[in-house]
Amino acid sequence: MLHHLFKLSPGAHIAATGIAFAGFMGAQTWLDASYEASGHPVHYAEGQLAFSAERVEYFYGVMLDAGTLDIYVRTQIIDFAFIASVMLLSALIGTLVARLGGAGSFGYRAGIAAAVMGIAGASMDVIENLVSFVMLADPQDISQPVAVIYSGFAAAKFALLSAAMITLKVALLAGLFRRARLAIA
């Protein structure tokens, strides 16, 4: 799939990446507003990495008491739009930076790797959300193994997305270095 993006002209690739970034920012703004409205008592990363049924039950209980758990459920659904934007942006920006490096170069391979890791991280987010719906089915009686599975997918998501961002920076630097070296030669 990623190789089809190289059929775009460089200008179209840059424009598509810009549009995808705008969509990503819009989805993030929508998601953040809904999360805030839900009244979840801790930062989303802390909640997702709880690894504890008791803690997740507490978080859900706070929202149940406030009457905002339904907003949190809606937030989990909105998150799918955000995840889609992360996947699209990962594919576009990773291949754009790979293109800067030039076919077959280290920068090219690193850009492709960043795209793949970004898509894989977003895929972990999909699974994490699906597991959250299992927990939300009975928010005051969550199985400890389910809570661990939920947090495990969240940890994998954060690890993959962090690795993607680091690899993207390496790819960008490698591509710029290669371009500078070619310009001097």
Side-chain angles (χ1 to χ4, degrees), residues 104-176:
S105 70
F106 172 77
Y108 177 90
R109 291 188 306 274
I112 295 297
V116 169
M117 285 186 278
I119 293 167
S123 298
M124 295 299 104
D125 201 1
V126 168
I127 299 168
E128 170 202 314
N129 277 12
L130 294 174
V131 174
S132 78
F133 289 121
V134 172
M135 296 188 305
L136 286 163
D138 191 357
Q140 292 303 286
D141 188 22
I142 297 170
S143 158
Q144 178 61 27
V146 172
V148 169
I149 291 167
Y150 169 75
S151 292
F153 280 109
K157 167 190 71 176
F158 289 127
L160 283 163
L161 292 176
S162 294
M165 288 187 282
I166 292 166
T167 305
L168 185 67
K169 289 175 186 175
V170 169
L172 180 60
L173 289 174
L176 290 172

Side-chain angles (χ1 to χ4, degrees), residues 1-2 5 16-17 19-29 31-32 44 78-95 114-126 129 156-158 160-162 164-165 168:
M1 175 193 98
L2 294 176
L5 295 175
T17 303
I19 292 167
F21 183 74
F24 166 82
M25 294 302 294
Q28 183 174 16
T29 299
L31 178 64
D32 289 346
Y44 69 88
I78 292 169
D79 196 22
F80 287 109
F82 176 73
I83 292 166
S85 75
V86 169
M87 287 181 169
L88 180 60
L89 185 59
S90 293
L92 285 164
I93 202 165
T95 54
V116 169
M117 285 186 278
I119 293 167
S123 298
M124 295 299 104
D125 201 1
V126 168
N129 277 12
K157 167 190 71 176
F158 289 127
L160 283 163
L161 292 176
S162 294
M165 288 187 282
L168 185 67

Side-chain angles (χ1 to χ4, degrees), residues 26-52:
Q28 183 174 16
T29 299
W30 184 28
L31 178 64
D32 289 346
S34 186
Y35 188 82
E36 181 72 27
S38 76
H40 197 287
V42 296
H43 185 270
Y44 69 88
E46 183 179 343
Q48 292 170 1
L49 296 173
F51 286 96
S52 165

Side-chain angles (χ1 to χ4, degrees), residues 7-22:
K7 293 178 183 176
L8 294 172
S9 71
H13 201 157
I14 291 167
T17 303
I19 292 167
F21 183 74

Side-chain angles (χ1 to χ4, degrees), residues 59-75:
F59 302 149
Y60 289 176
V62 168
M63 292 181 288
L64 274 169
D65 292 345
T68 59
L69 189 63
D70 60 326
I71 296 171
Y72 181 75
V73 171
R74 182 186 72 205
T75 302

